[in-house]
Amino acid sequence: QEQLVESGGGLVQPGGSLRLSCAASGMIFSRRTWGWYRQGLGKQRELIAYVGDIPMYVDSFVKGRFVISRDNAKNMVDLEMSDLKPSDPGFYYCHTAPDCGLQWGQGTQVPVSS
């Protein structure tokens, strides 16, 4: 059974750091491009970064602050977040990029205190 499980979210202060992790199971992980998506309150889910052979940052506001990486041996994709800003809060999800129809995981919440 295909499954995506995100973890690592939590309350941080502006300027703080977090590392999000996503564990994928039940699929051929290495052949796919993986992304991290953010869904802010009242907003649509949007792709912010993805990694195939190299990392790419769709949201220019996270470039230089977030680092996406993958470990094909462990079937995991991480998002290292630093210098968090009040505009970063939301639920963060990992998924293929573009969406290939896998069931979405529960996501992990990243609130940023004001």
Side-chain angles (χ1 to χ4, degrees):
Q1 181 180 358
E2 298 171 335
Q3 189 175 25
L4 297 168
V5 179
E6 300 92 347
S7 62
L11 182 65
V12 293
Q13 294 183 342
S17 300
L18 278 177
R19 186 179 185 92
L20 307 183
S21 293
C22 173
S25 59
M27 65 191 78
I28 302 175
F29 180 87
S30 62
R31 295 181 184 176
R32 292 172 166 164
T33 295
W34 291 94
W36 277 95
Y37 297 72
R38 177 181 58 226
Q39 185 167 20
L41 185 64
K43 298 181 179 180
Q44 290 189 331
R45 190 156 45 200
E46 58 181 358
L47 178 66
I48 58 172
Y50 61 91
V51 59
D53 294 329
I54 59 173
M56 298 293 287
Y57 300 92
V58 177
D59 183 345
S60 59
F61 198 55
V62 308
K63 193 173 184 179
R65 298 189 297 120
F66 292 7
V67 177
I68 186 171
S69 61
R70 64 188 293 163
D71 187 333
N72 289 338
K74 296 180 179 179
N75 285 8
M76 295 191 70
V77 57
D78 289 352
L79 186 69
E80 187 79 39
M81 311 165 71
S82 61
D83 190 20
L84 282 161
K85 300 186 182 300
S87 57
D88 293 324
F91 273 89
Y92 284 73
Y93 303 84
C94 73
H95 204 276
T96 56
D99 183 352
C100 70
L102 292 174
Q103 183 172 354
W104 289 80
Q106 295 297 309
T108 186
Q109 189 174 9
V110 178
V112 179
S113 62
S114 57

